[in-house]
Amino acid sequence: MKIHRTILLICITIIVASCVLKETKNDAEIKFEMTTHHFGELEYKGEANCTFKFTNPGENPLLIQHVKTSCGCTVPEWPKKPIKTGGSGEIFISYDTSHPGVFVKTITVFYNGEESPQILTTKGNVKYPDEDAFSSRHDESSK
């Protein structure tokens, strides 16, 4: 008799839980104004920030679940709350310019849509620390 009650209680719990829990929809959409940002030439240890603007053209709320970068030198900030239909938002990227040379970094945006994830890219060239000093000394010595 106790087993029947336990089974009945488990069945009722499952039925109630399935009715109460909201279904997570994976059909949101995201549209970025641009998917690549070219910084050009950057100063060593200078500031390098960019913003990827997006809209939600879909019929359901858009939730950015996570944003992953290809290395720790690229730091993202993104909205944690759902973006309503027709709404917009931004993903802010900060790049650490203490690594001289050419770079190409990817930002992977995971969201509640069938097309997830979306890939964004930043690229540029961080000048070497002594490049300007070398250039000006070389120019002077060639006169």
Side-chain angles (χ1 to χ4, degrees):
M1 189 65 145
K2 242 182 172 179
I3 294 174
H4 289 12
R5 263 193 220 163
T6 305
I7 292 173
L8 181 62
L9 184 59
I10 290 172
C11 289
I12 291 172
T13 303
I14 291 171
I15 291 169
V16 169
S18 67
C19 292
V20 172
L21 295 175
K22 289 183 179 177
E23 183 181 323
T24 303
K25 295 201 178 231
N26 287 328
D27 55 359
E29 295 179 36
I30 192 168
K31 177 146 178 64
F32 286 94
E33 287 182 8
M34 64 177 181
T35 56
T36 300
H37 178 82
H38 198 294
F39 284 106
E41 200 161 74
L42 296 166
E43 295 296 324
Y44 176 72
K45 292 194 176 183
E47 192 172 302
N49 302 311
C50 70
T51 302
F52 289 95
K53 296 180 180 184
F54 64 87
T55 57
N56 175 5
E59 296 180 9
N60 294 305
L62 165 68
L63 178 62
I64 296 178
Q65 298 155 333
H66 185 65
V67 178
K68 182 180 177 187
T69 60
S70 57
C71 83
C73 58
T74 308
V75 180
E77 293 178 29
W78 68 92
K80 307 299 190 269
K81 294 183 178 179
I83 308 297
K84 295 178 182 179
T85 299
S88 63
E90 299 177 342
I91 296 177
F92 179 78
I93 303 296
S94 177
Y95 180 72
D96 179 3
T97 60
S98 62
H99 308 283
V102 174
F103 66 90
V104 176
K105 303 298 174 184
T106 58
I107 300 102
T108 307
V109 180
F110 296 91
Y111 65 98
N112 61 324
E114 290 180 9
E115 301 293 320
S116 180
Q118 290 276 326
I119 307 293
L120 307 173
T121 306
T122 58
K123 53 175 118 177
N125 182 26
V126 177
K127 291 184 194 176
Y128 283 86
D130 298 325
E131 194 173 302
D132 289 335
F134 175 78
S135 294
S136 60
R137 283 194 304 248
H138 181 69
D139 291 344
E140 290 174 8
S141 65
S142 63
K143 290 182 182 177

